[in-house]
Amino acid sequence: MTESPATPTPELDAEALRQRALAALLTARERTTLLTDSVDDRELTAQHSPLMSPLVWDLAHIGNQEELWLLRGVAGREAMRPEIDGLYDAFEHPRASRPSLPLLPPAEARSYAAEVRGRALDVLESTALIGDRPLLEAGFAFGMIAQHEQQHDETMLITHQLRSGPAVLTAPEPPRPTDAASLPAEVMVPGGPFTMGTSTEPWALDNERPAHVREVPGFFIDTAPVTCGAYERFIEDGGYTDQRWWAPEGWAMVRENRLTAPLFWHRDGGQWLRRRFGVTEPVPADEPVLHVSWYEADAYARWSGRRLPTEAEWEKTARDDPASGRSRRYPWGDEDPSPERANLGQRHLRPAPAGAYPAGRSPLGVRQLIGDVWEWTSSDFLPYPGFSAFPYREYSEVFFGPAHKVLRGGSFAVDTVACRGTFRNWDLPVRRQIFSGFRTARDI
């Protein structure tokens, strides 16, 4: 281990940190239970797509990581079941091969995860969260595990989207905006320096660190994410049959897989339909487009005479406050996300229509930067100046390079504990099953 992951903020005393960690862990487990109890054992052990693990693997992996970091790493306890560590090592076994492993059956996986959790809560109750141990500074280990579980909950929600069969999940509809028609199509973001990343966010992960100054020229950016209706115009204009708009690797992907639309879309009776968590429905024109790869987002941007924003442009839009000259935690300020500000936490099972959540807008009026859809940027996933891996290289460092593109902002499937203005997601540019959309930008 290297340096402390955070400089503790004065307002977070030990008891406040403990309550925050407890709430985050309980919220994550409640969601894990919903995602795994909503299907039977046959579906838990099935592989619904070679891109994803069986749900029962995710369940036991969540427990195993919690044991590794909280029971063994923090409390120094002996391993409960050392023989299963290799089965649930994400780097040892690719997703496509996991169904062939001798995985814990559903009842045993549930029992193991529950026993680990009970012991982990005892550790949380008895451990000092402010001190000289890097893993414990500001309760980092507990925040990391809560984020890890929520990230796997998002992965499991993707598996639910990929599974066939009737719907098993329900949620209320997201709010509709009342002023979307009057919003400008784009907003100008003035050029200048801003502070990117963080050195003080207690549970920020290593790739978000350290804070550093970036100089960004002025640019225009979409007020809201690109909608399904706008993307349909790209399709109808021959977007998937015109090589001009595509990066060479993207064009090869289109031709090899005969792509004609976003994942889960199909044409029927003169209209576009989509499948969403077991329900087939017309594609909503005013909703941000979802399940598009980086190559599709890039091709649309080129077709529209624009481009994808860089990661620095996205973060400047989301965090920079021109009036004060400082970087906020979120577009609306430093307060934690709330249902009025952002579509997060699987509260809804779809993005809100473009232009929703006026309370979550940035100082310049840009909306839905947090929640709804992950937004592809043009940037490769690279370390910040002064990056230091913590607490292990495999979280971020092994993925740095041109193979992965950065996504920002979070989706409706992301919990608040794993979503902030500095949070960085990354994936291969071919990925479509993730809850990804985009917005476009242009130079001044």
Side-chain angles (χ1 to χ4, degrees):
M1 297 176 189
T2 55
E3 63 189 46
S4 170
T7 300
T9 50
E11 66 273 15
L12 290 178
D13 60 25
E15 187 54 33
L17 285 166
R18 200 180 318 279
Q19 292 305 314
R20 182 186 179 198
L22 176 62
L25 290 168
L26 294 179
T27 298
R29 187 52 50 90
E30 182 179 355
R31 186 179 177 196
T32 299
T33 301
L34 170 66
L35 291 165
T36 52
D37 283 1
S38 57
V39 292
D40 59 24
D41 285 2
R42 179 184 60 82
E43 293 215 55
L44 275 176
T45 56
Q47 187 173 48
H48 298 280
S49 166
L51 296 172
M52 310 304 290
S53 308
L55 291 169
V56 74
W57 185 93
D58 288 287
L59 175 59
H61 171 76
I62 286 168
N64 187 244
Q65 288 296 296
E66 189 165 329
E67 185 199 345
L68 284 170
W69 288 102
L70 300 187
L71 302 189
R72 301 186 212 174
V74 171
R77 298 184 182 180
E78 293 295 320
M80 291 171 56
R81 301 192 61 171
E83 76 280 2
I84 70 172
D85 286 353
L87 296 177
Y88 298 102
D89 186 330
F91 286 89
E92 190 170 332
H93 302 287
R95 288 175 175 175
S97 70
R98 290 171 188 170
S100 64
L101 300 173
L103 303 176
L104 299 182
E108 197 171 348
R110 286 190 177 99
S111 177
Y112 169 65
E115 185 175 358
V116 171
R117 172 50 58 86
R119 297 184 185 188
L121 294 182
D122 289 341
V123 172
L124 174 61
E125 180 65 28
S126 61
T127 301
L129 301 185
I130 297 178
D132 57 2
R133 291 182 63 188
L135 198 59
L136 286 178
E137 187 63 73
F140 178 80
F142 298 94
M144 179 183 72
I145 286 301
Q147 291 178 83
H148 173 266
E149 181 163 354
Q150 287 287 4
Q151 287 168 327
H152 274 273
D153 288 342
E154 181 179 9
T155 299
M156 289 194 285
L157 189 62
I158 293 171
T159 301
H160 272 270
Q161 169 64 7
L162 287 163
R163 64 176 281 276
S164 58
V168 296
L169 299 173
T170 60
E173 293 296 296
R176 299 192 63 83
T178 58
D179 60 347
S182 64
L183 294 176
E186 62 181 3
V187 170
M188 187 188 80
V189 180
F194 86 105
T195 300
M196 187 171 184
T198 180
S199 296
T200 59
E201 186 73 32
W203 294 349
L205 304 172
D206 60 3
N207 62 66
E208 302 170 63
R209 302 174 181 277
H212 59 287
V213 175
R214 289 282 183 98
E215 183 76 33
V216 179
F219 60 96
F220 286 92
I221 193 165
D222 291 338
T223 302
V226 171
T227 64
C228 295
Y231 199 86
E232 280 187 40
R233 291 191 286 276
F234 167 66
I235 298 172
E236 300 304 330
D237 196 42
Y240 281 85
T241 59
D242 193 333
Q243 186 176 355
R244 287 181 298 164
W245 314 126
W246 296 85
E249 299 83 359
W251 182 244
M253 178 190 74
V254 168
R255 303 299 290 172
E256 179 181 351
N257 296 283
R258 299 180 180 180
L259 302 184
T260 60
L263 186 61
F264 305 117
W265 287 30
H266 68 275
R267 191 85 169 167
D268 183 57
Q271 68 173 335
W272 285 105
L273 304 177
R274 70 174 182 188
R275 183 169 56 83
R276 182 177 61 85
F277 298 110
V279 175
T280 298
E281 61 189 13
V283 170
D286 61 352
E287 192 172 289
V289 67
L290 195 62
H291 296 301
V292 289
S293 67
W294 183 90
Y295 290 124
E296 289 166 293
D298 180 63
Y300 174 94
R302 297 189 197 198
W303 168 81
S304 66
R306 297 169 69 84
R307 58 176 175 80
L308 295 179
T310 66
E311 182 182 14
E313 287 174 335
W314 189 96
E315 188 168 326
K316 182 175 174 63
T317 303
R319 299 186 61 218
D320 188 41
D321 182 2
S324 66
R326 72 176 187 88
S327 291
R328 300 172 164 194
R329 295 179 68 211
Y330 300 98
W332 56 82
D334 295 334
E335 304 84 5
D336 288 338
S338 65
E340 296 75 31
R341 293 181 175 125
N343 182 4
L344 293 166
Q346 201 180 311
R347 186 179 301 110
H348 310 292
L349 285 172
R350 63 195 304 164
Y357 298 102
R361 65 186 181 275
S362 76
L364 296 176
V366 183
R367 300 197 183 184
Q368 293 169 287
L369 288 158
I370 297 293
D372 287 303
V373 296
W374 283 109
E375 298 185 17
W376 288 110
T377 72
S378 65
S379 299
D380 298 336
F381 184 49
L382 299 173
Y384 289 161
F387 168 83
S388 180
F390 181 89
Y392 59 104
R393 290 184 61 249
E394 289 78 12
Y395 181 74
S396 301
E397 188 173 348
V398 298
F399 297 102
F400 288 148
H404 294 86
K405 295 293 186 180
V406 174
L407 303 102
R408 286 303 206 100
S411 72
F412 65 89
V414 176
D415 187 76
T416 57
V417 75
C419 189
R420 49 195 164 263
T422 58
F423 193 93
R424 307 173 76 195
N425 189 11
W426 66 94
D427 216 324
L428 298 170
V430 298
R431 290 288 184 247
R432 309 173 83 214
Q433 82 276 13
I434 59 178
F435 300 115
S436 53
F438 62 100
R439 72 180 75 217
T440 66
R442 68 179 175 94
D443 298 339
I444 292 178

